[in-house]
């Protein structure tokens, strides 16, 4: 196989020479274009494994080349060279499909890491990873097919991705699949639950500390961010980060460096950032509880995980997989799911989503007899959106009340949109399929 080729698009001879020497030392073949037009001609005529482009070129903006590559040479990762501190331009480039960015003055160690990661995307010997199409992200609904396609696309980028969705939908699984489907799969995947770390320990946990930097710091400690070096840092429930930590995280993203507590200098890092929350980040920004500048940095690519009630057609497949997994764990033959039990599950709203389905079936296994789970074993009652109670005294009256509230909200949205269901679904924050399902369940005509 020929050595990978890298196209350098810059009109500054010194930068081109520095990049060429650096790439040659990595056993790569550099080619140079001094303008967008020259770059387009080379991209049409030759095969490249990476394109590095400056933002200011004689015949246009580097962003124009990024857009052109997405349309005509989408298989070529493109990284942009930005002015120091110009994160707005970097974020715009990432949103347009750029693989990553590097700032001037060039930090050669960071540049080499970026190039090595990008080359993995087009390395035929790497084999790729088709785990996103495998059995761990279950469901054949349109919503899940779209989610799998999105995972495959964003896995090729290094842009920050924010995964949002209700509790129990599997946001961490989606983040892990993005990691495992991309060029960082050989590196660590470090999940951090921002809501589970006490505020006073958060800086030390994320950034690490130097021995003696505070009472109790008896040894040097590497932070979780540095532990993700070469891989992916997943900040779950990022909305729970206190404001003072949001400022520090913003600097990490902008400078690609961390400063452990007690250290005098920053340490460069090569980490991809993924985040998730079940809260509305945009609303928190409006309320002054989440920094707007950080919101735009972590939300470069937004990915929504659908709730289970939006894809009721996936319930049989999920239930079967959950029962088989529980059977292996409990070392028993998993019971069959009776027709009446399946029917009950398919009409249930699942406020706790897939996690709730797992809990329901685990309880049902212990209640079932004769190798079959019946509707009475799962003890479900019709549950409206937002209700977390499915049994016990008062559950039915509460359910009736919430159904009335939900019915009124849906009717109001339909009236305001002149009975346009697509527009009403958007207003209510749900899919068209989910709205149609709720209209049928609530008997709205």
């Amino acid at each position: 196989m020929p050595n990978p080729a890298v196209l350098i698009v810059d009109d500054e001879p010194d930068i081109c020479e520095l990049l060429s020497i650096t790439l040659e030392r990595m056993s790569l073949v550099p080619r140079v274009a001094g303008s967008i037009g020259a770059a387009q001609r080379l991209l049409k005529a030759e095969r490249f494994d990476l394109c590095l482009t400056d933002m200011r070129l004689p015949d246009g903006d580097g962003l124009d080349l990024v857009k052109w590559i997405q349309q005509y040479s989408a298989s070529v990762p493109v990284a942009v060279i930005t002015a120091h501190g110009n994160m707005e331009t970097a974020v715009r480039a990432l949103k347009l499909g750029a693989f990553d960015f590097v700032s001037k003055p060039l930090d050669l160690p960071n540049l080499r890491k970026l190039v090595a990661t990008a080359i993995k995307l087009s390395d035929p010997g790497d084999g790729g990873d088709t785990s996103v199409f495998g059995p761990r992200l279950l469901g054949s609904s349109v919503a899940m097919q779209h989610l799998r396609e999105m995972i495959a696309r964003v896995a090729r980028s290094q842009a920050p991705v924010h995964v949002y969705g209700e509790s129990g939908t599997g946001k961490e699984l989606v983040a892990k699949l993005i990691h495992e489907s991309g060029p960082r799969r050989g590196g660590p995947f470090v999940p951090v639950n921002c809501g589970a770390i006490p505020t006073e320990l958060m800086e030390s946990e994320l950034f690490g500390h130097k021995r003696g930097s505070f009472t109790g710091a008896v040894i040097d400690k590497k932070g979780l961010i540095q532990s993700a070096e070469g891989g992916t840092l997943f900040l779950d429930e990022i909305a729970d980060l206190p404001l003072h930590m949001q400022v520090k995280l913003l600097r990490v993203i902008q400078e690609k460096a961390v400063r452990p507590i007690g250290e005098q200098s920053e340490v460069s890092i090569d980490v991809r950032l993924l985040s998730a929350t079940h809260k509305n980040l945009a609303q928190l920004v409006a309320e002054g509880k989440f920094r707007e500048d950080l919101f735009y940095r972590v939300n470069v690519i937004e990915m929504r995980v659908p709730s289970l009630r939006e894809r009721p057609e996936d319930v049989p497949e999920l239930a079967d997989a959950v029962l088989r997994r529980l059977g292996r764990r409990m070392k028993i033959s998993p019971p069959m799911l009776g027709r009446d039990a399946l029917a009950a599950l398919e009409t249930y709203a699942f406020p706790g989503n897939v996690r709730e389905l797992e809990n329901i079936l685990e309880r049902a296994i212990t209640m079932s007899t004769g190798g079959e789970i019946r509707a009475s074993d799962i003890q479900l009652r019709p549950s409206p959106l937002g209700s977390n109670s499915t049994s016990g005294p008062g559950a039915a009256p509460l359910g009736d009340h919430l159904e009335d509230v939900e019915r009124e909200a849906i009717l109001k949205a339909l009236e305001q949109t002149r009975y346009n269901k697509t527009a009403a679904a958007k207003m209510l924050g749900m899919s068209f399929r989910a709205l149609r399902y709720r209209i049928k369940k609530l008997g709205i005509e």
Side-chain angles (χ1 to χ4, degrees), residues 406-442:
E406 184 185 356
R407 184 180 290 105
E408 185 178 340
I410 291 174
L411 284 169
K412 187 175 180 181
L414 287 168
E415 288 169 1
Q416 289 179 356
T417 58
R418 299 190 177 186
Y419 295 89
N420 181 323
K421 291 179 185 175
T422 302
K426 189 173 182 182
M427 180 181 290
L428 291 164
M430 63 174 68
S431 70
F432 175 80
R433 182 190 297 269
L435 177 61
R436 191 172 59 185
Y437 170 74
R438 301 305 298 170
I439 287 173
K440 183 178 179 181
K441 186 174 187 302
L442 294 169

Side-chain angles (χ1 to χ4, degrees), residues 147 162-172 174 234 236-239 275-281 299 302-310 350-355 429:
L147 182 61
H162 181 64
V163 184
Y164 74 99
E166 297 175 7
S167 295
T169 50
K171 296 185 289 294
E172 182 172 342
V174 168
F234 173 54
D236 197 8
E237 298 304 343
I238 192 172
S275 62
T277 185
H278 70 281
K279 298 178 181 177
N280 186 329
L281 273 190
N299 200 47
E302 190 176 64
M303 182 178 293
R304 180 176 177 274
V305 184
S307 63
L308 187 51
R309 65 179 168 275
E310 292 177 66
F350 286 105
N353 292 292
V354 178
R355 190 180 298 138

Side-chain angles (χ1 to χ4, degrees), residues 259-279:
R259 179 181 292 174
I261 299 173
E263 284 284 2
Q264 297 302 308
S265 57
E266 291 185 325
V267 181
S268 294
I269 56 163
D270 172 33
V271 169
R272 185 181 189 183
L273 177 67
L274 305 178
S275 62
T277 185
H278 70 281
K279 298 178 181 177

Side-chain angles (χ1 to χ4, degrees), residues 29-62:
V29 180
R31 295 294 307 275
V32 176
S35 66
I36 291 177
Q40 290 171 343
R41 287 191 291 273
L42 281 171
L43 285 162
K44 288 177 182 177
E46 302 177 27
R47 181 188 182 279
F48 289 97
D49 298 271
L50 172 64
C51 174
L52 288 169
T53 180
D54 194 24
M55 294 304 298
R56 303 179 69 177
L57 297 163
D59 55 346
D61 191 316

Side-chain angles (χ1 to χ4, degrees), residues 119-414:
I119 295 300
K120 290 178 185 176
L121 284 173
S122 50
D123 180 4
D126 198 46
D129 188 305
T130 57
S131 60
V132 293
F133 300 105
R136 291 193 300 151
L137 194 62
L138 296 174
S140 53
S141 61
V142 173
M144 294 308 289
Q145 290 173 30
H146 176 68
L147 182 61
R148 281 192 283 267
E149 290 165 4
M150 276 287 290
I151 290 171
R153 282 204 300 273
V154 303
R156 292 181 53 81
S157 168
Q158 294 304 289
V161 177
H162 181 64
V163 184
Y164 74 99
E166 297 175 7
S167 295
T169 50
K171 296 185 289 294
E172 182 172 342
L173 174 59
V174 168
K176 195 164 190 179
L177 289 173
I178 292 171
H179 167 77
E180 292 180 353
S181 306
R184 292 180 176 269
R185 66 177 73 84
F189 175 82
V190 179
V192 180
N193 187 332
C194 298
I197 303 174
T199 303
E200 64 274 15
L201 299 178
M202 192 167 285
E203 186 172 356
S204 172
E205 288 293 312
L206 288 178
F207 293 86
H209 61 250
K210 191 174 174 61
R211 177 186 173 188
S213 56
F214 57 86
T215 303
V218 294
I219 58 170
D220 290 350
K221 178 185 174 183
K222 182 188 288 187
L224 292 167
I225 296 176
Q226 279 184 278
S227 298
E229 176 68 22
T232 302
L233 177 71
F234 173 54
L235 296 179
D236 197 8
E237 298 304 343
I238 192 172
D240 292 337
L241 270 182
L243 285 169
H244 78 280
M245 288 304 301
Q246 293 178 26
V247 176
K248 293 178 182 294
L249 178 61
L250 180 63
R251 179 169 178 81
V252 169
I253 296 171
Q254 292 183 163
E255 303 298 328
K256 296 188 175 182
V258 297
R259 179 181 292 174
I261 299 173
E263 284 284 2
Q264 297 302 308
S265 57
E266 291 185 325
V267 181
S268 294
I269 56 163
D270 172 33
V271 169
R272 185 181 189 183
L273 177 67
L274 305 178
S275 62
T277 185
H278 70 281
K279 298 178 181 177
N280 186 329
L281 273 190
Q283 181 63 37
L284 293 178
V285 169
E287 295 171 359
K289 296 176 182 176
F290 198 86
R291 290 183 63 95
E292 185 175 17
D293 44 11
L294 180 59
F295 172 73
Y296 287 117
R297 300 294 186 268
V298 301
N299 200 47
V300 174
I301 299 175
E302 190 176 64
M303 182 178 293
R304 180 176 177 274
V305 184
S307 63
L308 187 51
R309 65 179 168 275
E310 292 177 66
R311 50 188 188 105
E313 62 269 44
D314 289 337
V315 169
E317 183 182 351
L318 285 165
D320 180 63
V322 169
L323 286 173
R324 282 189 278 113
R325 185 169 71 246
L326 289 171
R328 287 194 299 271
R329 195 177 78 195
M330 300 165 80
K331 297 181 180 178
I332 61 170
S333 296
M336 298 290 293
L337 194 62
R339 218 174 258 183
D340 60 339
L342 180 58
L345 290 174
E346 288 179 320
T347 56
Y348 182 59
F350 286 105
N353 292 292
V354 178
R355 190 180 298 138
E356 185 182 9
L357 173 64
E358 293 172 345
N359 292 338
I360 287 169
L361 291 176
E362 185 169 12
R363 184 176 68 240
I365 286 178
T366 63
M367 300 289 291
S368 64
T369 57
E372 183 180 8
I373 294 175
R374 300 177 181 85
S376 57
D377 298 324
I378 56 178
Q379 300 176 348
L380 285 181
R381 296 182 183 182
S383 174
L385 286 171
S387 170
N388 290 312
S389 175
T390 60
S391 60
L398 177 62
D400 293 341
H401 172 67
L402 289 171
E403 281 197 352
D404 290 341
V405 172
E406 184 185 356
R407 184 180 290 105
E408 185 178 340
I410 291 174
L411 284 169
K412 187 175 180 181
L414 287 168

